[in-house]
């Protein structure tokens, strides 16, 4: 029986993440991941029983990191309007600090492969639980526009992630188009 090595497992996850970000989900094979991690392919199966389990683990690990960060930022914030402000700033900051992770999650979001992976339905959207909760509370309290919370959440996250990607890629100068301008536009769209 072979003993699992946590460092090798992390190397596999990192290699899979890098391959997904660089080449897309459809190009990932266990052979490529093993090679990038410095392993033979058969050793990869010590850690992950299949490509699907590997991809599911990459997705869940990355999503849990973002969800944990957002929940931590929102922990002591009380009102929906304050939660909106903190959420938007935290999502932007995370996107700037971890662009690969955000890009990976965005690739999973648009690729039909996510539907085939061994990830429970409720976990596929777990990163949006906290924002949807405070958005729903704000809608109910009459602070936010009356619409479905997932619509508001998608509008906010898509705008901020696009802005962060453009800033990171140096396609947009944050001095000329500051974050505050984007936040003001989003608050105008969400707040009543």
């Amino acid at each position: 029986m072979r003993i699992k090595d946590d460092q090798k497992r992390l190397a596999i996850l990192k290699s899979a993440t890098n391959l997904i970000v660089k080449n897309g989900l459809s190009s990932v094979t266990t052979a490529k991941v093993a090679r990038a991690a410095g392993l033979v392919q058969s050793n990869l199966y010590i850690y992950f029983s299949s490509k699907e389990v590997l991809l599911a683990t990459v997705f869940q690990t990355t999503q849990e990191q973002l969800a944990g960060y957002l929940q931590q930022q929102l922990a002591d914030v009380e009102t929906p309007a304050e939660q909106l402000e903190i959420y938007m700033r935290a999502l932007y900051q995370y996107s700037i600090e971890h662009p690969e992770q955000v890009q990976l999650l965005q690739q999973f979001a648009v690729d039909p492969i996510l539907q085939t992976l061994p990830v429970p339905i409720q976990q596929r959207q777990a990163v949006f639980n906290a924002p949807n909760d405070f958005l729903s509370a704000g809608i109910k309290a009459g602070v936010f526009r009356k619409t479905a919370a997932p619509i508001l959440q998608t509008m906010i996250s898509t705008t901020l992630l696009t802005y962060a990607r453009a800033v990171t890629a140096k396609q947009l100068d944050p001095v000329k188009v500051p974050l505050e301008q984007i936040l003001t536009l989003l608050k105008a769209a969400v707040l009543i």
Side-chain angles (χ1 to χ4, degrees), residues 1-154:
M1 179 174 158
R2 295 189 179 190
I3 298 173
K4 292 183 180 180
D5 177 344
D6 288 341
Q7 294 299 332
K8 286 182 183 176
R9 184 178 187 280
L10 289 174
I12 293 167
L13 291 172
K14 181 72 174 162
S15 296
T17 298
N18 291 340
L19 287 169
I20 293 167
V21 169
K22 184 177 178 182
N23 302 320
L25 274 164
S26 61
S27 70
V28 174
T29 66
T30 55
K32 288 179 184 177
V33 172
R35 192 175 322 112
L39 302 170
V40 294
Q41 186 176 0
S42 61
N43 285 352
L44 183 138
Y45 293 110
I46 295 169
Y47 301 91
F48 302 97
S49 60
S50 67
K51 173 184 167 182
E52 292 73 24
V53 170
L54 171 61
L55 291 176
T57 304
V58 168
F59 172 74
Q60 288 176 302
T61 302
T62 305
Q63 182 174 272
E64 287 169 6
Q65 290 169 349
L66 174 55
Y69 175 80
L70 293 174
Q71 288 173 342
Q72 181 182 14
Q73 299 304 310
L74 293 168
D76 298 325
V77 184
E78 295 181 16
T79 69
E82 291 171 323
Q83 289 171 324
L84 174 66
E85 180 79 23
I86 296 299
Y87 169 71
M88 291 190 302
R89 290 180 183 282
L91 183 60
Y92 172 76
Q93 189 64 38
Y94 191 90
S95 299
I96 293 295
E97 292 174 3
H98 306 282
E100 300 86 14
Q101 291 181 344
V102 171
Q103 184 179 353
L104 179 133
L105 290 174
Q106 289 176 312
Q107 285 191 31
F108 272 104
V110 298
D111 196 303
I113 196 168
L114 182 58
Q115 308 307 316
T116 67
L117 297 178
V119 178
I121 293 171
Q122 65 273 18
Q123 286 185 355
R124 291 181 195 158
Q125 297 294 319
V127 75
F128 302 120
N129 289 343
N132 281 333
D133 289 347
F134 81 75
L135 288 167
S136 294
I139 292 165
K140 186 176 180 180
V143 176
F144 301 145
R145 297 192 186 278
K146 193 170 186 147
T147 189
I151 299 295
L152 294 179
Q153 192 283 323
T154 299

Side-chain angles (χ1 to χ4, degrees), residues 88-89 92-93 160 163 174 177-184:
M88 291 190 302
R89 290 180 183 282
Y92 172 76
Q93 189 64 38
L160 287 169
Y163 175 74
V177 183
L179 175 62
E180 297 307 316
Q181 184 180 43
I182 304 302
L183 298 179
T184 299

